[in-house]
Amino acid sequence: MNILFVADPIESFKIYKDTTFAMMRELQKRGHQVCSTEPRFMSWRSGQPVTAQVRHLQLTGHADDWYTVPSEVLAPVHSFDAVLMRKDPPFDSEYFYATHLLEQAEREGARVFNSPRALRDHPEKLSLMEFAEYAPPTVVTRNGNELRAFHAEHHDIILKPLDGMGGTGIFRVGQDGMNLGSIVETLNQGGATSVMAQRYLPEILAGDKRLLLIGGKVAPFVLARIPQGGEVRGNLAAGGKGVAQPLSDENRLVAEAIAPKLAARGLLLVGLDMIGNQVTEINVTSPTCFQEIFDQSGFDVAAMFVDALEVAMGGTPA
């Protein structure tokens, strides 16, 4: 297959931990052609197909100079066998527009994973609300009084912006309510911006677990991201320590209830975040942690993903 990745600049990849790189490596290992572009290099002229400036890549196997570019062409997006949307958040206006270009490419015959429509329909914080039975008490509002009432009810809460990633903008407000007013004003910007609040889960001390749902199935290992140094955030970008663990039976039951529903909507890869046995986020834009799990457990998540991609494309795993 000829696979096009729509991603951040490949020059910025930290290949020792980058999940998109792990996908590329596994695809090339199986004999597939790997190509890359960025959202800024896609365009659509009236009466013509969506095109992209595309680099054909050859992975070298070296830590430095890890790829070469045998050729670079302007090509219709639908001319590739599969398109993998791997652009990192934020889910801003340009990301939104990119999903529309990719959806047009789908109408022209492209196979895009994750589905552009599904990316728009499942914002990573809000999509949790559909599965409230598996989540902690949660409210999404721009109303400061409602956030204060939520704290008065639950006493110890987490507040976070809807468009954050990597743990940015996350606050904990405890029983004493210290700085609640200032935090609410900072996050909701005087009522202009929506905020998510959740009851604090003390199980965070054992880690914020990233489960990977691939083709409607659950990977058998998770990455527990454990807060360090008094932090409330386990995110790796915020200094959390990643520890690969076998998937627990309790977490499996929750994940297996959710995974088929999301897969049926065109979400080939989902990062389900759980604290204890409760789901706190559903990540669909560019889920990560493949390499951390492989390095510590030996389970090849990238191989599981490419197996699922090959099946989705109507073939059998190589």
Side-chain angles (χ1 to χ4, degrees):
M1 290 190 296
N2 202 12
I3 311 295
L4 176 63
F5 284 83
V6 181
D8 290 300
I10 59 175
E11 295 84 359
S12 68
F13 285 16
K14 296 179 174 61
I15 65 169
Y16 68 93
K17 66 174 184 177
D18 194 282
T19 289
T20 302
F21 168 76
M23 294 174 175
M24 290 178 170
R25 181 175 56 194
E26 181 63 21
L27 284 161
Q28 180 173 288
K29 176 182 172 183
R30 299 192 190 194
H32 302 302
Q33 172 65 57
V34 175
C35 305
S36 74
T37 191
E38 301 171 34
R40 63 186 172 132
F41 296 141
M42 294 194 300
S43 61
W44 182 18
R45 289 195 178 192
S46 57
Q48 298 183 24
V50 175
T51 61
Q53 192 68 30
V54 172
R55 291 191 282 184
H56 292 86
L57 303 180
Q58 182 68 37
L59 276 59
T60 64
H62 303 308
D64 298 320
D65 300 321
W66 61 270
Y67 68 93
T68 61
V69 182
S71 63
E72 185 170 348
V73 298
L74 183 68
V77 172
H78 76 262
S79 66
F80 295 86
D81 296 300
V83 180
L84 300 184
M85 178 51 159
R86 291 287 302 170
K87 174 71 179 71
D88 282 343
F91 196 111
D92 55 14
S93 295
E94 287 303 321
Y95 192 106
F96 180 78
Y97 301 146
T99 67
H100 279 290
L101 292 182
L102 289 172
E103 190 168 20
Q104 172 60 23
E106 281 187 324
R107 289 190 284 269
E108 296 161 2
R111 300 287 304 278
V112 184
F113 306 93
N114 284 328
S115 154
R117 179 179 293 274
L119 288 174
R120 293 196 303 273
D121 287 349
H122 295 81
E124 301 192 331
K125 305 290 193 299
L126 281 175
S127 57
L128 167 76
M129 305 297 278
E130 179 183 350
F131 303 99
E133 66 269 36
Y134 305 115
T138 302
V139 64
V140 176
T141 181
R142 63 174 68 180
N143 186 311
N145 289 333
E146 193 168 1
L147 291 168
R148 294 181 182 89
F150 187 82
H151 176 264
E153 179 182 358
H154 295 287
H155 311 298
D156 196 350
I157 66 172
I158 296 291
L159 299 103
K160 49 189 170 182
L162 293 184
D163 59 354
M165 64 169 290
T168 57
I170 292 179
F171 295 89
R172 178 186 177 186
V173 178
Q175 179 92 22
D176 59 9
M178 185 72 69
N179 288 329
L180 175 60
S182 178
I183 290 168
V184 167
E185 291 166 7
T186 298
L187 290 178
N188 82 342
Q189 299 181 36
T193 303
S194 295
V195 178
M196 172 175 277
Q198 293 177 319
R199 186 179 66 197
Y200 173 74
L201 299 173
E203 294 90 342
I204 182 61
L205 297 177
D208 178 358
K209 292 169 285 186
R210 166 58 56 86
L211 284 67
L212 292 165
L213 315 183
I214 300 174
K217 299 179 180 178
V218 189
F221 285 85
V222 308
L223 192 75
R225 298 160 298 178
I226 302 171
Q228 302 292 300
E231 265 285 357
V232 71
R233 302 171 297 173
N235 309 75
L236 300 183
K241 178 182 179 181
V243 178
Q245 301 173 348
L247 176 67
S248 71
D249 291 340
E250 294 82 3
N251 285 178
R252 182 189 301 277
L253 288 173
V254 174
E256 288 181 344
I258 295 173
K261 296 177 182 178
L262 297 179
R265 301 172 188 174
L267 294 168
L268 184 69
L269 173 61
V270 175
L272 197 70
D273 290 348
M274 297 187 69
I275 297 175
N277 293 319
Q278 297 191 292
V279 179
T280 57
E281 288 188 16
I282 299 176
N283 297 275
V284 301
T285 51
S286 185
T288 60
C289 298
F290 280 28
Q291 295 212 74
E292 293 89 344
I293 290 174
F294 175 73
D295 290 343
Q296 295 183 41
S297 73
F299 179 77
D300 196 337
V301 189
M304 180 180 177
F305 174 79
V306 175
D307 284 348
L309 177 63
E310 290 174 337
V311 169
M313 295 302 297
T316 55

